[in-house]
Amino acid sequence: MKHRTIQGTILYTSKKPERMDQERGREFFSITAQSDDVKVLHAHCEIDDAPNVVRDVILAMNPDASPIDCSVRISVGDKYEGSGWMRFTPHYVECETHNQRDGRITQKVDISTPVKWLQAHPIVGDALLMRMYDLSQGPGKTFFPDLFLTSPDHRGATGPLLFKTGFGIRYIGEETVTVKAGTFNARHFQVVDTAGNLPEEHPPYNLWCTADDDYLFLKAGVEGYMQTFYELVDYKITERGLS
């Protein structure tokens, strides 16, 4: 039985005038497609801006990127902030976590339909999120309610815990995109309609991923007060196992 793994690095930079194109963080990731059609994402994320954030995520997903289970550990300002585990079933979501603000947390949330996405905050996961959009409808916008976050903070620097939200995805179309990792046929998406679903509205967010079934992250930019940019700088694909 074979499994296929994509490994790569994403560079975080600033687009603020006083810090233009300066490195502000990085992300090392792998996505393994198992022979049972489950994908497992590992992501180590570092944000240098004070207070610095170090986040480690392991997220298992179904073929449509809907979550199966997830574990998260966060450090903020070089100190432990929290860690936890979450599991998703067709009828409920459960969570066991601990964080500095709230201590031990046990959550169980009943749901009427399976959860389509868990946003655990690795940037590479933002591209996998775009699987939710139905490409057969062409360019347009779809709102997705009843999604979950591991932190409502824009940097993912709190928690972890289960936070219910919803937002829209707008599909712009296909383009050719060149990043440090190469030139790709890409799909351009935007995350929209976050007002009222988060403690603070997320600034406009544009994202490009490969125009294939990998939905591999290529680049993204956040406007507003954040003015951040993310770019795939290297990647490799390997296949291992018995044929």
Side-chain angles (χ1 to χ4, degrees), residues 37-194:
D37 292 330
V38 169
K39 286 186 171 66
V40 181
L41 165 66
H42 290 231
H44 175 78
C45 315
E46 302 176 353
I47 302 173
D48 298 336
D49 300 340
N52 73 312
V53 179
V54 177
R55 183 190 316 104
D56 289 281
V57 174
I58 302 175
L59 171 62
M61 298 165 283
N62 293 302
D64 62 356
S66 60
I68 300 171
D69 57 68
C70 181
S71 61
V72 181
R73 191 185 194 280
I74 308 168
S75 296
V76 178
D78 286 324
K79 295 181 179 179
Y80 166 81
E81 179 64 24
S83 62
W85 170 84
M86 300 158 192
R87 187 173 77 99
F88 296 78
T89 80
H91 305 293
Y92 64 89
V93 181
E94 61 180 338
C95 169
E96 291 289 340
T97 66
H98 176 275
N99 66 58
Q100 291 285 61
R101 186 188 70 181
D102 301 310
R104 179 67 180 265
I105 300 173
T106 299
Q107 293 174 280
K108 184 177 180 181
V109 181
D110 293 328
I111 53 176
S112 57
T113 57
V115 175
K116 292 181 179 293
W117 179 250
L118 173 69
Q119 180 68 301
H121 291 281
I123 296 298
V124 69
D126 293 351
L128 299 176
L129 157 66
M130 302 306 157
R131 286 182 179 274
M132 291 197 304
Y133 186 87
D134 181 4
L135 294 172
S136 68
Q137 68 186 25
K141 184 180 74 169
T142 302
F143 185 82
F144 296 93
D146 303 327
L147 308 177
F148 280 86
L149 310 177
T150 60
S151 167
D153 179 71
H154 293 172
R155 302 200 310 161
T158 60
L161 47 71
L162 288 171
F163 183 90
K164 193 174 183 180
T165 188
F167 48 79
I169 295 175
R170 177 179 287 122
Y171 176 49
I172 306 299
E174 292 197 7
E175 305 172 12
T176 299
V177 166
T178 298
V179 293
K180 290 183 179 179
T183 298
F184 302 84
N185 294 326
R187 298 183 183 123
H188 180 188
F189 293 92
Q190 296 174 333
V191 177
V192 296
D193 298 335
T194 64

